[in-house]
Amino acid sequence: MYRVTELDVPATMTDDPAKVRAFREWVDVSNRSEIAVHGLAELAWKAEEQLPQQHDPDAPSRLFLVRDEHDTAVAAGSYDSKTAPGTTNCWVSIGVDPDHRRRGVGTLLADHLEGIARAEGRTQWKTYAVSRQVGPASGSGFVQAPTGFGAVPADEAGVCFLTGRGWHFGQVNRISRLGLPADPTQIGRIHAEASAAAGAQYRVHTWTGATPARWEADIAVLETRMSTDAPQGGMDEPEDVWTVERLREREAQQLTAPRTMLTIAVEDVVSTTLAGFSQLAVPHDVTQPVFQWDTLVLREHRGHRLGWLLKVVGIETVERDHPGHPSIVTFNAEENRPMLDVNEAVGFVGVGSEGVWERRVDVPAL
């Protein structure tokens, strides 16, 4: 009745019409499956925005659809991995159309994706499952994160599905939203306080699009440190090394999307290297929210309110250079209290969450 098909992912949205049509179906099912859980229609991706994310040569994506007997797409899945030799981890995602749940569709797709992971010798699998939960929770009706921060409802379909398949719940990411325009008085006050705490040792830089050559090596270091310095809830992954060449390839793909990538970076003027950065994806369509992407301050530079400085400069830059967007949306680990503190101070409000799940398996080495 149902069958899994792998997509031949289009190179561009003007590629072969059949490839593009299947990719649009994949994006549509993925969006509907998540919105049915968290109800946040604002978080839906457009196919044109999603496509560049599938073409990272160092982290290729394989995309799958489940179709019924009428050739209708009823579920979407992905399998992502790193190409570096010796890499042990991978990521899978599964989204089932709300009208086709509890019919074995998710099991069929999960069996297929997990089979690929086993065949490739991957021993650490991770997935992200959105939740209806907003804010803290406790009690018998919830599954608590081992971090001690955050929980998800025990009766959610995704929770039951993953638990039943032997996946381990590791972490909660809070989904937060800042309605725009932000309070200028509050933003101005926090900017002044953060600048005073940073002092003369640090200098802020901003740019749009590709990273200037001067900062490419530093951004590559910061991207690498995202894999080691960001909270991972005890589900630590192997270091994900970025090179300047990889950065250039990734940014070249991003430039094909209908979004402007805005980067805020802070320089340690003593070493003349970057101590932290924050990136915001700004859709060309002003009716869509801005997404806060990677944000990191290196461990050795923490304690100077640089995260606060990066955040408020980002907000100010969006409102000045890209006015009209309804909001900024960001995802942060519930145990990352320093980042949540600044989010709450500038006016972000929790609107949802996602659980981060892991499964470690023993498979023969290839």
Side-chain angles (χ1 to χ4, degrees):
M1 182 177 181
Y2 296 106
R3 69 187 190 282
V4 179
T5 61
E6 182 168 1
L7 274 64
D8 186 356
V9 182
T12 70
M13 294 304 292
T14 58
D15 202 341
D16 178 272
K19 294 182 185 180
V20 173
R21 182 169 57 252
F23 181 69
R24 288 191 183 279
E25 289 179 292
W26 183 87
V27 174
D28 180 58
V29 174
S30 298
N31 283 335
R32 284 188 286 113
S33 68
E34 291 199 349
I35 292 170
V37 178
H38 57 45
L40 303 172
E42 195 175 44
L43 302 191
W45 284 75
K46 291 185 176 181
E48 292 78 4
E49 297 168 331
Q50 185 75 273
L51 184 59
Q53 311 305 315
Q54 316 307 321
H55 291 294
D56 181 347
D58 291 282
S61 296
R62 295 176 63 181
L63 308 183
F64 302 84
L65 283 172
V66 176
R67 296 185 181 278
D68 65 11
E69 70 273 20
H70 306 295
D71 207 37
T72 300
V74 299
S78 66
Y79 174 83
D80 297 270
S81 58
K82 305 293 184 183
T83 59
T87 303
T88 58
N89 53 333
C90 66
W91 298 261
V92 300
S93 73
I94 296 171
V96 179
D97 182 281
D99 294 332
H100 290 266
R101 291 177 178 169
R102 299 187 182 280
R103 303 183 188 182
V105 176
T107 297
L108 175 68
L109 185 53
D111 286 346
H112 190 84
L113 297 176
E114 291 179 4
I116 294 173
R118 289 185 183 278
E120 289 195 352
R122 307 289 172 161
T123 57
Q124 182 189 27
W125 310 345
K126 290 181 78 170
T127 192
Y128 297 80
V130 296
S131 172
R132 69 175 186 268
Q133 182 60 33
V134 179
S138 61
S140 59
F142 296 90
V143 181
Q144 302 293 319
T147 61
F149 297 87
V152 292
D155 64 352
E156 280 190 331
V159 173
C160 297
F161 181 78
L162 290 165
T163 302
R165 296 185 68 87
W167 286 71
H168 167 72
F169 181 43
Q171 186 181 40
V172 173
N173 284 333
R174 182 188 302 187
I175 308 172
S176 300
R177 180 185 189 273
L178 173 67
L180 298 178
D183 181 345
T185 301
Q186 185 79 336
I187 296 298
R189 180 184 64 80
I190 293 173
H191 191 161
E193 292 176 355
S195 294
Q201 182 181 347
Y202 297 99
R203 180 185 299 125
V204 175
H205 302 273
T206 66
W207 63 83
T208 57
T211 300
R214 174 188 177 188
W215 301 120
E216 286 179 328
D218 287 358
I219 291 295
V221 169
L222 287 162
E223 291 284 10
T224 299
R225 294 282 291 270
M226 281 293 301
S227 67
T228 59
D229 286 20
Q232 297 188 47
M235 299 175 290
D236 295 346
E237 301 168 6
E239 182 182 45
D240 183 21
V241 178
W242 283 69
T243 63
V244 169
E245 290 72 25
R246 180 180 177 186
L247 177 68
R248 289 172 179 168
E249 290 176 344
R250 196 275 297 271
E251 292 184 338
Q253 284 292 338
Q254 289 178 336
L255 289 173
T256 68
R259 293 186 172 201
T260 297
M261 186 59 67
L262 170 63
T263 301
I264 317 297
V266 60
E267 175 194 5
D268 171 19
V269 299
V270 176
S271 65
T272 68
T273 59
L274 296 182
F277 80 133
S278 182
Q279 294 184 317
L280 299 104
V282 185
H284 295 171
D285 182 352
V286 297
T287 67
Q288 292 184 272
V290 175
F291 279 86
Q292 186 104 44
W293 280 11
D294 291 345
T295 297
L296 181 73
V297 174
L298 297 177
R299 288 176 180 152
E300 55 267 33
H301 291 279
R302 292 175 184 172
H304 302 281
R305 294 219 163 185
L306 300 184
W308 296 65
L309 190 57
L310 290 167
K311 182 74 67 170
V312 294
V313 172
I315 295 168
E316 291 169 338
T317 305
V318 166
E319 296 204 281
R320 182 188 67 240
D321 298 344
H322 307 277
H325 291 274
S327 62
I328 299 175
V329 176
T330 187
F331 289 62
N332 301 102
E334 278 288 354
E335 67 267 30
N336 191 355
R337 179 37 60 183
M339 191 55 66
L340 293 178
D341 282 344
V342 61
N343 286 346
E344 293 164 0
V346 299
F348 277 90
V349 176
V351 293
S353 61
E354 67 176 3
V356 187
W357 296 73
E358 179 186 65
R359 187 174 178 189
R360 293 193 180 248
V361 296
D362 294 322
V363 295
L366 296 183

